[in-house]
Amino acid sequence: MPPVSKIISIQDVDDKVNLLVYGDSGVGKTRLAGSDDKVLFVAPEDNSDGLLSAVLAGSTADKWPIKKWDDLAEAFNYLYHLDEIPYNWVVIDSLTEMQMMAMRGILDSAIQENPARDPDIPQLQDWQKYYEMVKRMIKAFNALDVNVLYTALARVAEDQDGIEYLLPDLQGKKDNYAKQVSSWMTSFGYMSVKRKKIDGEENAKPTFVDERRITWRDTGLVKGKDRTGALAPYTIVEGRNPLKDIRLAIEAKKNGVTAPAKRPRKASARTTSDEKVEAHA
């Protein structure tokens, strides 16, 4: 019997996306993550402050509480076995915390096998298991038939010339692991907030606003990419439902529709050098 063809059209390939948004604590990542219809947070119990900001912003998201690594595996298995996942987004908030839980789980298991071990200091053999556990879990969530949004803290790294840049705060050899995880995402970007001056009438008292944006491309200072073609160079995070706006922009791009661009508020020419970098990101 001749072999059966498994050829399919690329138009039939699943069109769900995996996004990673990284930034400093308090910049608004969790609030962003809760700003669409039908969102499920897979989040640690100690993330109550971040989730509160989402609630106060009007989020109607659900939450699967995570206290340890096994809870994360349980959440994945539940979603995997559903005939249809009833959410627009599953949010892993955050990857930084997810890594910490993985190592805690490894150390707890090691102590059960050898009570004489230090409960807080990983040994050499623990690290490889740790990296593989996190890698396998991220790829498992990425393969689910649902959009997945990951959040992470940001950290400063240096290239071989000593030039600093920002990337997701994921533990690994130098910045290789963070770059590898980022490469598994459809798009990833850096979320920041800048104080912007709004031009008004001459001699009027200056007005300032906080402008949040996600930079989805590599600027040198910021690491990012956008495979959707709908988000780069940046997204201005404003309005009541910015994550919904992101989803609709991606869906419009897939359907060949050009979504209207959101223009940033006009700012004063008096900006810092960092603001200039962000303004052109």
Side-chain angles (χ1 to χ4, degrees), residues 160-215:
Q160 59 186 6
D161 298 319
I163 298 175
E164 294 184 342
Y165 60 93
L166 297 167
L167 79 168
D169 185 14
L170 298 175
Q171 192 172 37
K173 187 176 180 181
K174 294 185 178 179
D175 57 2
N176 293 339
Y177 196 75
K179 288 180 178 179
Q180 184 180 44
V181 171
S182 298
S183 74
W184 302 333
M185 303 298 160
T186 312
S187 302
F188 75 99
Y190 174 68
M191 187 172 181
S192 60
V193 58
K194 294 295 182 182
R195 192 77 167 158
K196 297 289 187 178
K197 181 180 177 182
I198 303 298
D199 287 344
E201 296 181 4
E202 189 175 356
N203 299 324
K205 185 177 180 180
T207 301
F208 295 88
V209 296
D210 287 337
E211 181 182 276
R212 287 174 170 78
R213 67 167 61 187
I214 305 169
T215 301

